[in-house]
Amino acid sequence: MTELMGDGLLRRGRPAEEARRLGSDEHRPSGSAALLAAMCLGLLLSMFNATVVNVMLPNIRGALHVSGTGLQWVAALFTLCNAALLLAGGALGEVIGKRMTFLGGVGVFTVGSAACAAAPTLGVLLAARTVQAVGVAVMTPQTLSILVTEYTDLTRRARAVGIWAGMASLGLAAGPVVGGVVIDLGSWRGGFMVSAVLGAVTLALGFRVVSRARYGRPTHAPTPDFAGAALSVLALASLVFGLIESATLGWDSPFIVGALALAASATAAFVLTQRAAIGRGRLPLMPLELWRSRGFVGANMAGLAYFFALFGILYFCSLYLQQYRNFSTLETGLTFLPMTIVMALVGPVSGRLSARFTTTSLTVAGLLVAAAGALLLALLSAGGVVGVMCGLTLFGVGAGLMSSPMSNMAVSSAATRHSGAASATHNAFRQIGSTLGVAALGTLVAAGHHAASDTQAAFRTGLGHAMITVAVVLIVCAITVAVLGRRPGRRR
C-alpha cells in the first residue's frame, strides 16, 4: 500500500482509485513559478496587513470615535492571536494536509479583511481582526513548508526562499507606503480592501497550482497533540499579552508579572507534553529534536532580533514623522519608500548568494549592516528627514540580506517531515520579536522625556536611545549566530 505521508511525499502502494482521483495532478512538475508566486502572495498579504494598520490608526480613531486603549488593541489583537496560534497552525497542515490548510487560512483571512473594511463599530473591527489573525496563523507556516518540500535541490531552494523572503520584506515595508496612498485617496477602509483583494487573488491562484497529490490530506494522519496545542496557545498568548500591556501598565505591574509567569509555566508544561506526545504516537507541535541543530537555534535568534528591530523602527519612526514632524500619512509612507525598494531588491539577491556563501555568513552580514543602519538612525534623526531616510535605507539593505538565508537556515536545519513545525516555530519567534520590539523600545522612548524639557527633543532623545539598543541587540545576535555556525551539530 502507498500512502500520502504528512511530509507531502508519496509512498508506494497507494490504492488505484486514489491514483485515478488525483489523476494528472500527481505528475505536475515541481518547483513551478506559479506555485512560488502563490506562496509569496500568501506571505506578502500577511506581512502587508501587519504594518499597513500603523498608518491607518489615526483615521480609524476619528471615524469610529475610538479611545486610545481601544486603538492600541486594533493593532495588538492581530499580533496576539497570530502569535498564539502559529504552532497549532503549523501542526494543522500535517493533520489535514498543507493544501487544505493553506487555502482555508487564505479564505478566512480574506473574509476577515472584508469584514474589517465594512466594520461599523470598534467591536466589529476587533472581531474581524481576530478572524484575520486566525487565517494568517493557519496559512503562514504552510508557505515555507511547501517551498521546502517543493524544492529539493539546495540551490533552487535557496533562490526560491530568497524570492519568498523578498516578498515578505516588500510586504512589511510596503504597508506604510500603500496605507498612506490609500488614505490620501480615500479612507482607512481601503487599506483593508487591498488585503481582501490580495487574499482573493491568492486563493484563486492557490486552488489551481497547489498539488493535491503532494499536499493533500494524509492517508493516515497522526493524532493531533491537543494538550500541546492548548498549552502553546496559553504560553504564547500570555507572553505576547504581557509584552503588549507592559507599555501601559509597566513592567512591575502584578498583571504583567502574572502574565509572564503564566507564560513561563505554560512553556515548561508544553515541553513536557512534547516529550510525552512522541511516546503516545501523537504528532508533536514542536519536535524537541529541532533544537539539537545549531542552525535552527541561530535562525530563530536572528528572526527574533530582526523583527525586534524592524517593527520597532517602523512603529517609532512613523510616530516621530507624523506627530513631531507633522508629516501626512502619504509623506510618511514615501519616507519609507527607499527602504521598501531596497528590501525587495536585496532579498532575491541574497537567495542567489546563498548558493555561493553559507547561510550563516549571510545572516551575520545582514545583522551587522542592519545594526549600522540603526546606529545611523540614532545619529542622524536629529538632522531631519534626510538622515532618517539614509538610516532606513541602510537598515533595509541589512534586512534584505539576512531575511532569505535566515529563513532557509531555519527550515533546512530540520528534517522534511518537520518542515511545518520548523516554519511555525520560526514565525512564532519573529512574532515575539515584533511585539518585544515595540514594548521594550517604547519604554526607552518614554524614558527620553526625563532627558529633555521640549516634547519633540524628548522624543528624539528617547528614539536615539532606542535605536542604539536595536544596534546592540543586532550585533550581539550576529556574534551569537557566528559562534553557533562555527561548529555545526552532530549529524543525526
Side-chain angles (χ1 to χ4, degrees):
M1 296 289 292
T2 53
E3 33 186 86
L4 185 60
M5 304 300 290
D7 58 5
L9 299 179
L10 294 170
R11 304 295 186 232
R12 293 185 178 179
R14 186 177 52 204
E17 61 238 28
E18 184 181 353
R20 286 194 298 271
R21 178 178 60 84
L22 294 173
S24 61
D25 182 68
E26 180 180 349
H27 304 290
R28 180 176 295 163
S30 62
S32 68
L35 178 66
L36 176 59
M39 298 303 102
C40 289
L41 277 174
L43 186 64
L44 182 142
L45 63 89
S46 168
M47 299 294 104
F48 170 82
N49 185 73
T51 57
V52 70
V53 176
N54 289 339
V55 296
M56 299 193 304
L57 291 177
N59 299 78
I60 294 174
R61 182 172 192 171
L64 299 182
H65 309 289
V66 181
S67 65
T69 302
L71 198 67
Q72 289 178 358
W73 277 105
V74 173
L77 189 62
F78 178 84
T79 303
L80 176 63
C81 297
N82 183 16
L85 296 171
L86 273 170
L87 288 179
L92 186 63
E94 306 297 338
V95 176
I96 66 173
K98 295 181 176 67
R99 183 179 190 272
M100 185 183 299
T101 307
F102 173 77
L103 295 177
V106 174
V108 169
F109 172 83
T110 303
V111 171
S113 299
C116 285
T121 63
L122 174 63
V124 175
L125 180 60
L126 291 177
R129 288 286 284 169
T130 303
V131 173
Q132 277 188 316
V134 171
V136 166
V138 169
M139 172 267 296
T140 302
Q142 316 309 321
T143 59
L144 189 55
S145 179
I146 287 176
L147 289 183
V148 171
T149 305
E150 191 76 8
Y151 293 88
T152 55
D153 178 76
L154 296 182
T155 301
R156 295 186 68 207
R157 177 189 293 177
R159 292 175 179 174
V161 174
I163 297 172
W164 175 88
M167 294 297 283
S169 300
L170 178 62
L172 284 170
V177 179
V178 176
V181 173
V182 168
I183 291 174
D184 191 65
L185 296 177
S187 73
W188 60 271
R189 299 183 186 277
F192 289 116
M193 283 307 302
V194 171
S195 295
V197 171
L198 285 173
V201 172
T202 305
L203 190 61
L205 182 60
F207 266 114
R208 293 189 59 185
V209 302
V210 180
S211 170
R212 287 187 179 88
R214 297 189 187 106
Y215 309 110
R217 185 184 183 94
T219 302
H220 298 289
T223 304
D225 179 17
F226 293 108
L231 287 169
S232 72
V233 171
L234 180 61
L236 290 170
S238 301
L239 175 60
V240 175
F241 174 82
L243 295 176
I244 290 173
E245 287 299 303
S246 64
T248 303
L249 301 178
W251 291 99
D252 57 347
S253 167
F255 292 101
I256 302 304
V257 174
L260 297 180
L262 179 60
S265 301
T267 299
F270 173 74
V271 171
L272 294 178
T273 62
Q274 298 311 284
R275 292 182 181 276
I278 299 178
R280 296 174 182 174
R282 296 180 179 177
L283 174 70
L285 269 71
M286 185 195 296
L288 298 181
E289 66 184 78
L290 292 174
W291 296 100
R292 298 174 186 171
S293 167
R294 292 173 177 265
F296 186 75
V297 175
N300 286 316
M301 290 189 63
L304 189 147
Y306 169 38
F307 269 50
F308 174 91
L310 179 62
F311 274 78
I313 287 174
L314 287 175
Y315 182 84
F316 290 106
C317 285
S318 177
L319 194 65
Y320 170 67
L321 293 172
Q322 291 188 71
Q323 290 194 6
Y324 299 102
R325 304 287 299 190
N326 298 318
F327 276 36
S328 67
T329 53
L330 178 59
E331 290 172 329
T332 301
L334 292 177
T335 303
F336 288 101
L337 186 59
M339 183 180 75
T340 303
I341 296 173
V342 167
M343 291 174 72
L345 293 177
V346 176
V349 172
S350 69
R352 293 181 177 275
L353 291 176
S354 297
R356 292 187 177 184
F357 305 98
T358 64
T359 53
T360 298
S361 61
L362 288 173
T363 302
V364 170
L367 288 166
L368 293 177
V369 174
L375 286 176
L376 202 60
L377 280 172
L379 296 174
L380 300 181
S381 61
V385 67
V386 175
V388 172
M389 291 179 71
C390 290
L392 289 173
T393 302
L394 185 57
F395 178 86
V397 173
L401 190 61
M402 75 171 117
S403 182
S404 167
M406 173 184 66
S407 301
N408 197 1
M409 190 193 312
V411 292
S412 295
S413 300
T416 304
R417 66 183 183 277
H418 294 323
S419 61
S423 176
T425 303
H426 186 58
N427 279 286
F429 268 78
R430 300 204 300 183
Q431 285 294 328
I432 293 170
S434 67
T435 309
L436 182 60
V438 175
L441 296 180
T443 304
L444 294 174
V445 171
H449 287 273
H450 300 292
S453 57
D454 178 70
T455 304
Q456 181 174 337
F459 187 90
R460 197 164 53 232
T461 300
L463 182 63
H465 294 163
M467 293 303 100
I468 291 174
T469 302
V470 166
V472 171
V473 169
L474 292 172
I475 292 172
V476 170
C477 184
I479 295 173
T480 305
V481 172
V483 171
L484 289 173
R486 288 183 61 188
R487 289 197 311 158
R490 184 179 60 188
R491 290 185 178 180
R492 296 186 298 278

